[in-house]
Amino acid sequence: MPANINPTVRRRRLGAELRRLRKASDLTSAQVAERLLVSQPKISLLENGHRAISPRDVRDLCELYGVTDRQVIDSLMRMARESGQQGWWNTYGNIPNSVYIGLETDASSIHTYEPMVIPDLLQTPAYAHAVIETTVPPIPAQQADARLKVRLRRQHRIYDPARPLRLWVVLDEPALHRVVGRPDIMREQLEHLNALSAEPHITVQVLPYTAGAHPGRQGQFSVLRFADSPEAGMVYLERFTSDLYLKKPSEVQQYSMMYDHLQARALSPEGTRDFVTDVTKSHIDVASRP
């Protein structure tokens, strides 16, 4: 599969186009399901990009929607074939958050709030390894190594000179103090964080204890935007057993507003770098003790 093809994104785009065609034909998803003798949930899954769709399904839907343009049909069927292929991350075996990885790969910008640890895209190899080691239940060393390789490869997005990811990060202060691995690993990680935060396409802000109670008390979340539909967006909530993906405009707007409030309460990017430098010194002091 060509390197620039992202099956997750192909499914999402194909589903959105099929939804548009269905609405243009003035049909409900229940009516489509009844005419094609399939379940209504199947139609919803296809339109939301949560299920791969076969070229045959595309052909049947196009016929039902009255699509006669051969170029349009061929384009949709090509997307269907590509959406059934695997992303690069699938070659590493059973990797969690695979749906999110596909979306992250295609995102033009991500606003993320993290209260507990440094976000995946900004982690050093040693820090990432220490985080993965805490997986419950424990996983075999070979599987842990695969997850580490996937995490480090995901970071290519923020180093891509042709299409760098625009990344905003709000970190709650505990993430800086929590010793992941060892104090020397934390020192290296915080120095790495400060170096990355100086990049023009990466913004990092710390939410200090002095900010008091704030809207992020419910936990981690990320707001993703895409170049092909910047007005839409998606909210990602990472959970222990089942991640959540919110697409309703009202939900995306609510989380975007929450993020704006968190940024307003956080330290400035410049103030954050000074703050991180001071915390780094405390880890150096601990690491140097006999």
Side-chain angles (χ1 to χ4, degrees):
M1 181 177 64
N4 62 340
I5 291 179
N6 183 334
T8 303
V9 174
R10 286 291 188 273
R11 287 197 297 269
R12 184 172 63 87
R13 291 174 176 169
L14 177 57
E17 182 60 18
L18 292 174
R19 184 188 303 111
R20 186 189 67 79
L21 293 172
R22 173 178 61 77
K23 291 183 176 180
S25 65
D26 201 26
L27 291 171
T28 66
S29 58
Q31 290 172 325
V32 172
E34 182 179 1
R35 296 191 188 187
L36 295 183
L37 301 178
V38 300
S39 67
Q40 191 275 334
K42 176 180 177 179
I43 301 300
S44 296
L45 289 171
L46 294 179
E47 291 186 351
N48 288 325
H50 292 164
R51 178 172 175 171
I53 181 170
S54 70
R56 180 177 179 177
D57 286 335
V58 169
R59 182 199 63 192
D60 292 344
L61 289 169
C62 285
E63 182 177 349
L64 180 60
Y65 299 155
V67 180
T68 58
D69 189 322
R70 193 67 243 175
Q71 287 187 329
V72 172
I73 296 173
D74 289 344
S75 175
L76 294 176
M77 293 182 70
R78 182 174 63 255
M79 292 176 68
R81 287 190 292 269
E82 292 172 351
S83 71
Q85 299 180 38
Q86 291 188 330
W88 61 262
W89 50 92
N90 293 115
T91 61
Y92 291 89
N94 184 22
I95 299 297
N97 315 118
S98 59
V99 172
Y100 174 76
I101 294 173
L103 296 168
E104 175 188 83
T105 301
D106 198 56
S108 58
S109 69
I110 298 178
H111 292 70
T112 186
Y113 165 68
E114 178 56 67
M116 304 296 291
V117 295
I118 307 300
D120 292 0
L121 294 182
L122 304 181
Q123 293 178 1
T124 64
Y127 184 97
H129 181 266
V131 171
I132 292 170
E133 277 191 327
T134 65
T135 300
V136 176
I139 57 178
Q142 185 177 4
Q143 191 174 352
D145 183 60
R147 293 190 185 187
L148 177 60
K149 289 178 179 177
V150 169
R151 185 164 304 185
L152 297 181
R153 181 166 174 179
R154 285 168 55 198
Q155 294 177 359
H156 292 181
R157 276 293 278 114
I158 63 174
Y159 297 110
D160 184 352
R163 196 172 63 97
L165 176 69
R166 184 66 178 95
L167 180 64
W168 282 266
V169 175
V170 173
L171 273 175
D172 220 338
E173 184 175 345
L176 303 180
H177 295 288
R178 179 171 288 102
V179 178
V180 174
R182 305 183 305 271
D184 60 310
I185 291 177
M186 286 302 302
R187 173 193 57 76
E188 179 190 44
Q189 174 60 73
L190 295 187
E191 290 175 347
H192 181 66
L193 180 67
N194 259 358
L196 288 179
S197 70
E199 296 291 332
H201 59 285
I202 299 176
T203 299
V204 178
Q205 293 179 257
V206 166
L207 194 64
Y209 290 130
T210 53
H214 55 76
R217 61 186 180 277
Q218 299 298 329
Q220 175 275 344
F221 69 91
S222 297
V223 180
L224 294 83
R225 302 282 181 180
F226 304 91
D228 62 332
S229 55
E231 73 288 345
M234 179 182 299
V235 176
Y236 169 65
L237 305 173
E238 184 178 1
R239 296 297 180 258
F240 186 67
T241 57
S242 181
D243 298 337
L244 298 177
Y245 300 88
L246 309 179
K247 302 179 183 179
K248 293 181 180 179
S250 59
E251 294 173 327
V252 176
Q253 181 182 20
Q254 182 177 353
Y255 274 90
S256 296
M257 291 176 59
M258 190 188 309
Y259 197 86
D260 290 342
H261 281 285
L262 292 173
Q263 282 191 305
R265 291 193 178 208
L267 300 174
S268 68
E270 297 75 16
T272 289
R273 281 191 282 273
D274 292 338
F275 191 90
V276 171
T277 297
D278 290 339
V279 177
T280 303
K281 293 176 182 177
S282 68
H283 288 295
I284 293 175
D285 291 342
V286 172
S288 63
R289 293 174 186 170

